[in-house]
Amino acid sequence: MLGVVAAVALQGLQADASVGEPAPLEGIAAAPPAAPVKTTPISLSEAQLLHDEAAALTPAGVALDETAHSTWLPRIGYLEAAMADPGLAPEIREELSATLDALAQVGLGGRRP
């Protein structure tokens, strides 16, 4: 299918080339490049959900849950990376910090209770 489209496009280009020189594109300004949109790596609602989930953990529950470490260790890296963002809103930073503290209290993460 792609080959057919390419062949048709090439035929069109060859036909146009034999007609004559294309008109110059004077006066047509190139569109300015779009400014990158700065987005927060995590929303407040996401941070609150993670905090609630981490606060519900218990040391015994983490010890018995074989997937707790594999679930939370990548999240901890994500949370720490989000906290390193200097443009992070203070309320989101608070939630992330509380989440990391809750995880440390149950033996996940590097923070101490």
Coordinates of all heavy atoms in Angstrom, one line a residue:
M1 N 0.8 -1.2 0.0 CA 0.0 0.0 0.0 C 0.9 1.3 0.0 O 0.6 2.2 -0.7 CB -0.9 0.0 1.2 CG -1.8 1.2 1.4 SD -3.1 1.2 0.2 CE -4.0 2.5 0.7
L2 N 1.9 1.2 0.8 CA 2.8 2.4 0.9 C 3.5 2.6 -0.4 O 3.7 3.7 -0.8 CB 3.8 2.2 2.1 CG 4.7 3.4 2.3 CD1 3.9 4.6 2.6 CD2 5.7 3.0 3.5
G3 N 3.9 1.5 -1.0 CA 4.6 1.5 -2.3 C 3.7 2.2 -3.4 O 4.2 3.0 -4.2
V4 N 2.4 1.9 -3.4 CA 1.5 2.5 -4.3 C 1.4 4.0 -4.1 O 1.4 4.8 -5.1 CB 0.1 1.8 -4.2 CG1 -0.9 2.5 -5.1 CG2 0.2 0.3 -4.6
V5 N 1.3 4.4 -2.9 CA 1.2 5.8 -2.5 C 2.4 6.5 -3.0 O 2.4 7.6 -3.6 CB 0.9 6.0 -1.0 CG1 1.0 7.4 -0.6 CG2 -0.4 5.4 -0.7
A6 N 3.6 5.9 -2.7 CA 4.9 6.5 -3.1 C 5.0 6.6 -4.6 O 5.4 7.7 -5.2 CB 6.0 5.7 -2.5
A7 N 4.5 5.6 -5.3 CA 4.6 5.6 -6.8 C 3.7 6.7 -7.4 O 4.1 7.5 -8.3 CB 4.2 4.3 -7.4
V8 N 2.5 6.9 -6.8 CA 1.6 7.9 -7.3 C 2.2 9.3 -7.0 O 2.1 10.2 -7.8 CB 0.2 7.7 -6.6 CG1 -0.7 8.9 -6.9 CG2 -0.4 6.4 -7.1
A9 N 2.8 9.4 -5.8 CA 3.4 10.7 -5.5 C 4.5 11.1 -6.4 O 4.7 12.2 -6.8 CB 3.8 10.7 -4.0
L10 N 5.4 10.1 -6.7 CA 6.5 10.3 -7.6 C 6.0 10.7 -9.0 O 6.6 11.6 -9.6 CB 7.4 9.1 -7.6 CG 8.3 8.9 -6.4 CD1 9.1 7.6 -6.5 CD2 9.3 10.1 -6.2
Q11 N 5.0 10.0 -9.5 CA 4.5 10.4 -10.8 C 4.0 11.8 -10.8 O 4.2 12.5 -11.8 CB 3.3 9.4 -11.2 CG 3.8 8.0 -11.6 CD 2.6 7.1 -11.9 OE1 1.5 7.4 -11.6 NE2 3.0 5.9 -12.5
G12 N 3.3 12.2 -9.7 CA 2.8 13.5 -9.7 C 3.9 14.5 -9.7 O 3.9 15.6 -10.3
L13 N 5.0 14.2 -9.0 CA 6.2 15.1 -8.9 C 6.9 15.2 -10.3 O 7.3 16.3 -10.7 CB 7.2 14.6 -7.9 CG 6.8 14.8 -6.4 CD1 7.8 14.2 -5.5 CD2 6.6 16.3 -6.1
Q14 N 7.0 14.1 -11.0 CA 7.6 14.1 -12.3 C 6.7 14.9 -13.3 O 7.3 15.6 -14.1 CB 7.8 12.6 -12.8 CG 8.9 11.9 -12.0 CD 8.9 10.4 -12.4 OE1 8.0 9.9 -13.0 NE2 10.0 9.8 -11.9
A15 N 5.4 14.7 -13.2 CA 4.5 15.5 -14.1 C 4.7 17.0 -13.8 O 4.7 17.8 -14.8 CB 3.1 15.0 -13.9
D16 N 4.8 17.4 -12.5 CA 4.9 18.8 -12.2 C 6.3 19.3 -12.7 O 6.4 20.5 -13.1 CB 4.8 19.0 -10.7 CG 3.3 18.8 -10.2 OD1 2.4 18.8 -11.0 OD2 3.2 18.6 -9.0
A17 N 7.3 18.5 -12.6 CA 8.6 19.0 -13.0 C 8.7 19.3 -14.5 O 9.4 20.1 -14.9 CB 9.7 17.9 -12.6
S18 N 7.9 18.5 -15.3 CA 8.0 18.8 -16.7 C 7.2 20.0 -17.1 O 7.4 20.5 -18.2 CB 7.5 17.5 -17.5 OG 6.1 17.3 -17.2
V19 N 6.3 20.5 -16.3 CA 5.5 21.6 -16.6 C 6.3 22.9 -16.7 O 6.1 23.8 -17.5 CB 4.3 21.7 -15.7 CG1 3.5 23.0 -15.9 CG2 3.4 20.6 -15.8
G20 N 7.2 23.1 -15.7 CA 8.0 24.3 -15.6 C 8.5 24.6 -14.2 O 8.3 23.8 -13.3
E21 N 9.1 25.7 -14.1 CA 9.6 26.1 -12.8 C 8.5 26.4 -11.8 O 7.6 27.1 -12.2 CB 10.6 27.3 -12.9 CG 11.9 27.0 -13.7 CD 12.8 26.2 -12.8 OE1 12.9 26.4 -11.6 OE2 13.6 25.4 -13.4
P22 N 8.6 26.0 -10.6 CA 7.6 26.4 -9.6 C 7.8 27.9 -9.2 O 8.9 28.4 -9.3 CB 7.8 25.5 -8.4 CG 9.2 25.0 -8.6 CD 9.5 25.0 -10.0
A23 N 6.7 28.5 -8.9 CA 6.8 29.9 -8.5 C 7.6 30.0 -7.2 O 7.5 29.1 -6.3 CB 5.4 30.5 -8.3
P24 N 8.4 31.0 -7.0 CA 9.1 31.2 -5.8 C 8.2 31.4 -4.6 O 7.1 31.9 -4.7 CB 10.0 32.4 -6.0 CG 9.4 33.1 -7.2 CD 8.6 32.1 -7.9
L25 N 8.6 31.0 -3.4 CA 7.8 31.1 -2.2 C 8.1 32.4 -1.5 O 8.2 32.4 -0.3 CB 8.0 29.9 -1.3 CG 7.7 28.5 -1.9 CD1 8.1 27.4 -1.0 CD2 6.2 28.5 -2.3
E26 N 8.3 33.5 -2.2 CA 8.6 34.7 -1.5 C 7.3 35.2 -0.7 O 6.2 35.0 -1.2 CB 9.0 35.8 -2.5 CG 10.3 35.5 -3.2 CD 10.6 36.4 -4.3 OE1 9.9 37.5 -4.4 OE2 11.4 36.1 -5.2
G27 N 7.6 35.9 0.3 CA 6.5 36.4 1.1 C 5.8 35.5 2.0 O 4.9 35.8 2.8
I28 N 6.1 34.2 1.9 CA 5.5 33.2 2.8 C 6.5 33.0 4.0 O 7.6 32.5 3.8 CB 5.3 31.9 2.1 CG1 4.3 32.1 1.0 CG2 4.7 30.8 3.1 CD1 4.0 30.9 0.1
A29 N 6.1 33.4 5.1 CA 6.9 33.3 6.3 C 6.7 31.9 6.9 O 5.6 31.4 7.0 CB 6.6 34.4 7.3
A30 N 7.8 31.4 7.4 CA 7.7 30.1 8.1 C 7.1 30.3 9.4 O 7.3 31.3 10.1 CB 9.1 29.5 8.3
A31 N 6.3 29.3 9.8 CA 5.6 29.4 11.1 C 6.7 29.3 12.2 O 7.6 28.6 12.1 CB 4.6 28.3 11.3
P32 N 6.6 30.2 13.3 CA 7.5 30.1 14.3 C 7.5 28.8 15.0 O 6.4 28.2 15.1 CB 7.1 31.2 15.3 CG 5.7 31.5 15.0 CD 5.5 31.1 13.5
P33 N 8.6 28.3 15.5 CA 8.5 27.0 16.2 C 7.7 27.1 17.5 O 7.7 28.1 18.1 CB 10.0 26.7 16.5 CG 10.7 28.0 16.5 CD 9.9 28.8 15.5
A34 N 7.0 26.0 17.7 CA 6.1 26.0 18.9 C 6.9 26.0 20.2 O 7.9 25.2 20.2 CB 5.2 24.8 18.8
A35 N 6.6 26.8 21.1 CA 7.3 26.8 22.4 C 7.0 25.5 23.1 O 5.8 25.0 23.1 CB 6.9 28.0 23.2
P36 N 8.0 24.9 23.8 CA 7.7 23.6 24.5 C 6.7 23.9 25.7 O 6.8 25.0 26.3 CB 9.0 23.2 25.0 CG 9.9 24.4 24.9 CD 9.3 25.3 23.9
V37 N 5.8 23.0 25.9 CA 4.8 23.2 26.9 C 5.4 22.6 28.2 O 5.8 21.4 28.2 CB 3.5 22.5 26.6 CG1 2.5 22.6 27.7 CG2 2.9 23.2 25.3
K38 N 5.5 23.4 29.2 CA 6.0 22.9 30.5 C 4.9 22.3 31.3 O 3.9 22.9 31.6 CB 6.6 24.1 31.3 CG 7.1 23.7 32.7 CD 8.5 23.1 32.6 CE 9.0 23.1 34.0 NZ 9.4 21.8 34.4
T39 N 5.0 21.0 31.5 CA 4.0 20.3 32.3 C 4.6 19.7 33.5 O 5.8 19.4 33.6 CB 3.4 19.1 31.5 OG1 4.4 18.2 31.1 CG2 2.7 19.6 30.2
T40 N 3.8 19.7 34.6 CA 4.2 19.1 35.8 C 4.3 17.6 35.6 O 3.4 17.0 35.0 CB 3.2 19.4 36.9 OG1 3.1 20.9 37.0 CG2 3.7 18.9 38.3
P41 N 5.4 16.9 36.1 CA 5.5 15.5 35.9 C 4.4 14.7 36.6 O 4.2 13.6 36.2 CB 6.9 15.2 36.5 CG 7.2 16.3 37.4 CD 6.4 17.5 36.9
I42 N 3.8 15.3 37.5 CA 2.7 14.6 38.3 C 1.7 15.6 38.7 O 2.0 16.7 39.1 CB 3.3 13.8 39.5 CG1 2.3 12.9 40.2 CG2 3.9 14.8 40.5 CD1 2.8 11.9 41.1
S43 N 0.4 15.2 38.7 CA -0.6 16.2 39.1 C -0.9 16.0 40.6 O -0.5 15.0 41.2 CB -1.9 15.9 38.3 OG -2.5 14.6 38.8
L44 N -1.6 17.0 41.1 CA -1.9 16.9 42.6 C -2.7 15.7 42.9 O -2.5 15.0 43.9 CB -2.6 18.2 43.0 CG -3.0 18.3 44.5 CD1 -1.8 18.2 45.4 CD2 -3.7 19.6 44.8
S45 N -3.7 15.4 42.1 CA -4.6 14.3 42.3 C -3.8 13.0 42.3 O -4.0 12.1 43.1 CB -5.8 14.3 41.4 OG -5.4 14.1 40.1
E46 N -2.9 12.9 41.3 CA -2.0 11.7 41.3 C -1.2 11.5 42.5 O -1.0 10.5 43.1 CB -1.1 11.7 40.1 CG -1.8 11.5 38.7 CD -0.9 11.7 37.6 OE1 -0.1 12.7 37.6 OE2 -1.0 11.0 36.6
A47 N -0.6 12.7 43.0 CA 0.2 12.7 44.2 C -0.6 12.3 45.4 O -0.1 11.5 46.3 CB 0.9 14.1 44.4
Q48 N -1.8 12.8 45.5 CA -2.7 12.4 46.6 C -3.0 11.0 46.6 O -3.1 10.3 47.7 CB -3.9 13.3 46.6 CG -3.7 14.7 46.9 CD -4.9 15.7 46.7 OE1 -5.7 15.4 45.8 NE2 -4.9 16.8 47.4
L49 N -3.3 10.4 45.4 CA -3.6 9.0 45.4 C -2.5 8.1 45.8 O -2.6 7.1 46.5 CB -4.1 8.6 43.9 CG -5.5 9.1 43.5 CD1 -5.7 8.8 42.0 CD2 -6.5 8.4 44.3
L50 N -1.3 8.5 45.3 CA -0.1 7.7 45.7 C 0.2 7.9 47.2 O 0.5 6.9 47.9 CB 1.2 8.2 45.0 CG 1.2 7.8 43.5 CD1 2.3 8.6 42.8 CD2 1.4 6.3 43.4
H51 N -0.1 9.0 47.8 CA 0.1 9.2 49.2 C -0.9 8.4 50.0 O -0.5 7.7 51.0 CB -0.1 10.7 49.6 CG 0.1 11.0 51.0 ND1 -0.5 12.0 51.7 CD2 0.7 10.3 52.0 CE1 -0.2 12.0 53.0 NE2 0.5 11.0 53.2
D52 N -2.1 8.4 49.6 CA -3.1 7.5 50.2 C -2.8 6.1 50.2 O -2.9 5.3 51.1 CB -4.5 7.7 49.6 CG -5.1 9.1 49.9 OD1 -4.6 9.8 50.8 OD2 -6.0 9.5 49.1
E53 N -2.3 5.6 49.0 CA -1.9 4.2 48.8 C -0.7 3.9 49.7 O -0.7 2.8 50.4 CB -1.6 4.0 47.4 CG -1.4 2.5 47.0 CD -1.2 2.3 45.5 OE1 -1.5 3.2 44.7 OE2 -0.6 1.3 45.2
A54 N 0.3 4.8 49.8 CA 1.4 4.5 50.6 C 1.1 4.6 52.1 O 1.6 3.8 52.9 CB 2.5 5.5 50.3
A55 N 0.2 5.5 52.5 CA -0.2 5.6 53.9 C -0.9 4.4 54.4 O -0.9 4.0 55.6 CB -1.0 6.8 54.1
A56 N -1.6 3.6 53.5 CA -2.3 2.5 53.8 C -1.5 1.2 54.0 O -1.9 0.2 54.6 CB -3.4 2.2 52.8
L57 N -0.2 1.3 53.6 CA 0.7 0.2 53.8 C 1.1 0.0 55.2 O 1.2 0.9 56.0 CB 2.0 0.4 52.9 CG 1.8 0.4 51.4 CD1 3.1 0.9 50.8 CD2 1.4 -0.9 50.9
T58 N 1.3 -1.2 55.6 CA 1.9 -1.6 56.9 C 3.1 -2.4 56.8 O 3.3 -3.0 55.7 CB 0.8 -2.4 57.7 OG1 0.7 -3.7 57.1 CG2 -0.5 -1.7 57.9
P59 N 4.0 -2.3 57.8 CA 5.3 -3.1 57.6 C 5.0 -4.6 57.4 O 5.6 -5.3 56.6 CB 6.0 -2.9 59.0 CG 5.5 -1.6 59.4 CD 4.0 -1.5 59.0
A60 N 4.0 -5.1 58.1 CA 3.6 -6.6 58.0 C 3.1 -6.8 56.6 O 3.4 -7.8 56.0 CB 2.6 -7.0 59.0
G61 N 2.3 -5.9 56.1 CA 1.7 -6.1 54.8 C 2.8 -6.1 53.7 O 2.7 -6.9 52.7
V62 N 3.8 -5.2 53.9 CA 4.9 -5.1 52.9 C 5.7 -6.4 53.0 O 6.1 -7.0 52.0 CB 5.7 -3.9 53.1 CG1 7.0 -3.9 52.3 CG2 4.9 -2.6 52.8
A63 N 5.9 -6.9 54.2 CA 6.7 -8.1 54.4 C 6.0 -9.3 53.7 O 6.7 -10.2 53.2 CB 7.0 -8.4 55.9
L64 N 4.7 -9.4 53.8 CA 4.0 -10.5 53.2 C 3.7 -10.3 51.7 O 3.5 -11.3 51.0 CB 2.6 -10.7 54.0 CG 2.8 -11.1 55.4 CD1 1.4 -11.1 56.1 CD2 3.4 -12.5 55.6
D65 N 3.7 -9.1 51.3 CA 3.4 -8.9 49.8 C 4.7 -9.0 49.0 O 5.5 -8.1 49.1 CB 2.8 -7.5 49.7 CG 2.3 -7.2 48.3 OD1 2.5 -8.0 47.4 OD2 1.8 -6.0 48.0
E66 N 4.7 -10.0 48.2 CA 5.9 -10.2 47.4 C 6.1 -9.2 46.3 O 7.2 -9.1 45.8 CB 5.9 -11.6 46.8 CG 5.9 -12.7 47.9 CD 5.8 -14.1 47.3 OE1 5.6 -14.2 46.0 OE2 5.8 -15.1 48.0
T67 N 5.1 -8.5 46.0 CA 5.2 -7.5 44.9 C 5.4 -6.1 45.4 O 5.5 -5.2 44.6 CB 3.9 -7.6 44.0 OG1 2.8 -7.2 44.8 CG2 3.7 -9.0 43.4
A68 N 5.4 -5.9 46.7 CA 5.5 -4.5 47.2 C 6.7 -3.8 46.7 O 6.7 -2.7 46.3 CB 5.4 -4.5 48.7
H69 N 7.8 -4.5 46.8 CA 9.1 -3.9 46.4 C 9.1 -3.6 44.9 O 9.5 -2.5 44.5 CB 10.3 -4.7 46.8 CG 10.6 -4.7 48.3 ND1 11.3 -3.7 48.9 CD2 10.2 -5.5 49.3 CE1 11.3 -3.9 50.2 NE2 10.7 -5.0 50.5
S70 N 8.7 -4.6 44.1 CA 8.7 -4.4 42.7 C 7.7 -3.4 42.2 O 7.9 -2.7 41.2 CB 8.5 -5.7 41.9 OG 7.2 -6.2 42.2
T71 N 6.7 -3.2 43.0 CA 5.7 -2.1 42.7 C 6.2 -0.8 43.1 O 6.0 0.2 42.3 CB 4.3 -2.4 43.4 OG1 3.8 -3.7 43.0 CG2 3.3 -1.3 43.2
W72 N 6.7 -0.6 44.3 CA 7.0 0.7 44.8 C 8.4 1.2 44.5 O 8.6 2.4 44.4 CB 6.8 0.7 46.3 CG 5.4 0.8 46.7 CD1 4.5 -0.1 47.0 CD2 4.6 2.0 46.6 NE1 3.2 0.4 47.2 CE2 3.3 1.7 46.9 CE3 4.9 3.4 46.2 CZ2 2.2 2.7 47.0 CZ3 3.9 4.3 46.3 CH2 2.6 3.9 46.6
L73 N 9.4 0.3 44.3 CA 10.7 0.9 44.0 C 10.8 1.7 42.8 O 11.4 2.8 42.8 CB 11.8 -0.3 44.0 CG 12.0 -0.9 45.4 CD1 13.1 -2.0 45.3 CD2 12.4 0.1 46.5
P74 N 10.2 1.3 41.7 CA 10.2 2.2 40.5 C 9.4 3.5 40.8 O 9.8 4.6 40.3 CB 9.5 1.4 39.4 CG 9.6 0.0 39.8 CD 9.6 0.0 41.3
R75 N 8.4 3.4 41.5 CA 7.6 4.6 41.9 C 8.4 5.6 42.7 O 8.3 6.8 42.6 CB 6.3 4.2 42.6 CG 5.3 3.6 41.8 CD 4.1 3.2 42.6 NE 3.0 2.6 41.9 CZ 1.9 2.2 42.4 NH1 1.7 2.4 43.7 NH2 1.0 1.6 41.7
I76 N 9.2 5.0 43.6 CA 10.1 5.9 44.5 C 11.0 6.7 43.6 O 11.2 7.9 43.8 CB 10.8 5.0 45.5 CG1 9.8 4.5 46.5 CG2 11.9 5.9 46.2 CD1 10.4 3.4 47.5
G77 N 11.6 6.1 42.6 CA 12.5 6.8 41.7 C 11.8 7.9 41.0 O 12.3 9.0 40.8
Y78 N 10.6 7.6 40.5 CA 9.7 8.5 39.8 C 9.4 9.7 40.8 O 9.4 10.9 40.4 CB 8.5 7.8 39.3 CG 7.4 8.8 38.8 CD1 7.6 9.4 37.5 CD2 6.2 9.0 39.4 CE1 6.6 10.2 37.0 CE2 5.2 9.8 38.9 CZ 5.4 10.4 37.7 OH 4.5 11.3 37.2
L79 N 9.0 9.4 42.0 CA 8.6 10.4 43.0 C 9.8 11.3 43.3 O 9.7 12.5 43.4 CB 8.1 9.8 44.3 CG 6.8 9.0 44.1 CD1 6.5 8.3 45.4 CD2 5.7 9.8 43.6
E80 N 11.0 10.7 43.5 CA 12.2 11.5 43.8 C 12.6 12.4 42.6 O 13.0 13.5 42.8 CB 13.3 10.6 44.2 CG 13.1 10.0 45.5 CD 14.2 8.9 45.9 OE1 14.8 8.4 45.0 OE2 14.3 8.6 47.1
A81 N 12.4 11.9 41.4 CA 12.7 12.7 40.2 C 11.7 13.8 40.1 O 12.1 15.0 39.7 CB 12.6 11.8 38.9
A82 N 10.5 13.6 40.4 CA 9.4 14.7 40.4 C 9.8 15.7 41.4 O 9.6 16.9 41.1 CB 8.1 14.1 40.6
M83 N 10.2 15.3 42.6 CA 10.5 16.3 43.6 C 11.7 17.1 43.3 O 11.9 18.2 43.8 CB 10.8 15.5 44.9 CG 9.6 14.9 45.5 SD 9.1 15.2 47.2 CE 10.3 16.1 48.0
A84 N 12.6 16.6 42.4 CA 13.8 17.4 42.0 C 13.4 18.5 41.0 O 14.3 19.4 40.8 CB 14.8 16.5 41.3
D85 N 12.2 18.5 40.5 CA 11.8 19.6 39.6 C 11.6 20.9 40.4 O 10.7 21.0 41.2 CB 10.5 19.2 38.9 CG 9.9 20.2 37.9 OD1 10.6 21.2 37.7 OD2 8.8 20.0 37.4
P86 N 12.4 21.9 40.0 CA 12.3 23.2 40.8 C 11.0 23.9 40.6 O 10.6 24.7 41.4 CB 13.5 24.0 40.3 CG 13.9 23.4 39.0 CD 13.4 22.0 39.0
G87 N 10.3 23.6 39.5 CA 9.0 24.2 39.2 C 7.8 23.5 39.8 O 6.7 23.9 39.5
L88 N 8.0 22.5 40.6 CA 6.9 21.7 41.2 C 6.2 22.5 42.2 O 6.7 23.2 43.0 CB 7.5 20.5 41.9 CG 6.5 19.4 42.3 CD1 5.8 18.8 41.1 CD2 7.2 18.3 43.1
A89 N 4.8 22.5 42.1 CA 4.0 23.2 43.0 C 4.2 22.8 44.4 O 4.4 21.6 44.7 CB 2.5 23.1 42.6
P90 N 4.2 23.7 45.4 CA 4.4 23.3 46.8 C 3.5 22.2 47.3 O 3.9 21.4 48.1 CB 4.3 24.6 47.6 CG 4.4 25.7 46.5 CD 4.0 25.1 45.2
E91 N 2.2 22.3 46.9 CA 1.3 21.3 47.5 C 1.5 19.9 46.9 O 1.4 18.9 47.6 CB -0.2 21.7 47.2 CG -0.6 21.9 45.7 CD -0.3 23.3 45.2 OE1 0.3 24.2 45.9 OE2 -0.7 23.6 44.0
I92 N 2.0 19.9 45.7 CA 2.4 18.6 45.1 C 3.7 18.1 45.8 O 3.8 16.9 46.2 CB 2.6 18.6 43.6 CG1 1.3 19.0 42.9 CG2 3.1 17.3 43.0 CD1 1.4 19.3 41.4
R93 N 4.6 19.0 46.0 CA 5.9 18.6 46.7 C 5.5 18.0 48.1 O 6.1 17.1 48.6 CB 6.8 19.8 46.8 CG 8.2 19.5 47.4 CD 9.1 20.7 47.4 NE 9.2 21.3 46.0 CZ 9.9 20.8 45.0 NH1 10.6 19.8 45.2 NH2 10.0 21.5 43.9
E94 N 4.6 18.7 48.8 CA 4.2 18.2 50.1 C 3.6 16.8 50.1 O 4.0 15.9 50.9 CB 3.1 19.1 50.7 CG 3.5 19.9 51.9 CD 2.3 20.8 52.3 OE1 1.3 20.3 52.9 OE2 2.4 22.0 52.1
E95 N 2.8 16.5 49.1 CA 2.2 15.2 49.0 C 3.3 14.1 48.7 O 3.2 13.0 49.2 CB 1.1 15.2 47.9 CG -0.2 15.9 48.2 CD -1.0 15.2 49.3 OE1 -0.9 13.9 49.4 OE2 -1.7 15.9 50.1
L96 N 4.2 14.5 47.8 CA 5.2 13.5 47.4 C 6.2 13.3 48.6 O 6.6 12.1 48.8 CB 6.0 14.1 46.2 CG 5.3 14.2 44.9 CD1 6.2 14.8 43.8 CD2 4.6 13.0 44.5
S97 N 6.5 14.3 49.3 CA 7.3 14.1 50.5 C 6.6 13.2 51.5 O 7.2 12.3 52.1 CB 7.6 15.5 51.1 OG 8.5 15.3 52.2
A98 N 5.3 13.4 51.7 CA 4.6 12.6 52.7 C 4.5 11.2 52.2 O 4.5 10.2 53.0 CB 3.2 13.2 52.9
T99 N 4.4 11.0 50.9 CA 4.4 9.6 50.3 C 5.7 8.9 50.6 O 5.7 7.8 51.0 CB 4.1 9.7 48.8 OG1 2.9 10.4 48.6 CG2 4.1 8.3 48.2
L100 N 6.8 9.6 50.3 CA 8.1 9.0 50.5 C 8.3 8.7 52.0 O 8.9 7.7 52.4 CB 9.2 9.9 50.0 CG 9.2 10.0 48.5 CD1 10.2 11.2 48.0 CD2 9.6 8.7 47.8
D101 N 7.9 9.6 52.9 CA 8.0 9.3 54.3 C 7.1 8.1 54.7 O 7.6 7.3 55.5 CB 7.5 10.5 55.1 CG 8.4 11.7 55.1 OD1 9.6 11.5 54.7 OD2 8.0 12.9 55.3
A102 N 5.9 8.0 54.2 CA 5.1 6.8 54.5 C 5.7 5.5 54.0 O 5.7 4.5 54.7 CB 3.7 7.0 53.9
L103 N 6.4 5.6 52.9 CA 7.0 4.4 52.3 C 8.2 4.0 53.2 O 8.5 2.8 53.4 CB 7.5 4.6 50.9 CG 6.3 4.7 49.9 CD1 6.9 5.2 48.5 CD2 5.6 3.4 49.8
A104 N 9.0 5.0 53.7 CA 10.1 4.7 54.5 C 9.7 4.1 55.8 O 10.4 3.2 56.4 CB 10.9 6.0 54.8
Q105 N 8.5 4.5 56.3 CA 8.0 3.9 57.6 C 7.7 2.4 57.5 O 7.7 1.7 58.5 CB 6.8 4.7 58.1 CG 7.2 6.1 58.6 CD 5.9 6.9 58.9 OE1 4.8 6.4 58.9 NE2 6.2 8.1 59.3
V106 N 7.5 1.9 56.3 CA 7.2 0.5 56.1 C 8.3 -0.2 55.5 O 8.2 -1.4 55.1 CB 5.9 0.3 55.3 CG1 4.7 0.8 56.1 CG2 6.0 0.9 53.9
G107 N 9.5 0.4 55.5 CA 10.7 -0.3 55.0 C 10.9 -0.1 53.5 O 11.8 -0.9 52.9
L108 N 10.2 0.7 52.8 CA 10.5 1.0 51.4 C 11.1 2.3 51.2 O 10.6 3.3 51.8 CB 9.1 0.9 50.6 CG 8.4 -0.4 50.6 CD1 7.0 -0.3 50.1 CD2 9.2 -1.5 49.8
G109 N 12.1 2.4 50.4 CA 12.7 3.7 50.2 C 13.9 4.0 51.1 O 14.1 3.3 52.1
G110 N 14.6 5.1 50.9 CA 15.7 5.4 51.6 C 15.5 6.4 52.8 O 16.4 6.6 53.6
R111 N 14.4 7.0 52.9 CA 14.2 7.9 54.0 C 14.0 7.2 55.3 O 13.5 6.0 55.4 CB 12.9 8.8 53.8 CG 13.1 9.7 52.6 CD 11.9 10.6 52.5 NE 12.1 11.6 51.5 CZ 11.4 12.7 51.4 NH1 10.4 13.0 52.3 NH2 11.6 13.6 50.5
R112 N 14.3 7.8 56.4 CA 14.1 7.3 57.7 C 12.9 7.9 58.4 O 12.7 9.1 58.3 CB 15.3 7.5 58.6 CG 16.6 6.8 58.1 CD 16.5 5.4 58.3 NE 17.7 4.7 57.7 CZ 17.6 3.5 57.1 NH1 16.5 2.9 57.1 NH2 18.7 3.0 56.6
P113 N 12.1 7.1 59.1 CA 10.9 7.7 59.8 C 11.3 8.6 60.9 O 12.4 8.6 61.4 CB 10.2 6.5 60.3 CG 11.1 5.3 60.2 CD 12.2 5.7 59.3

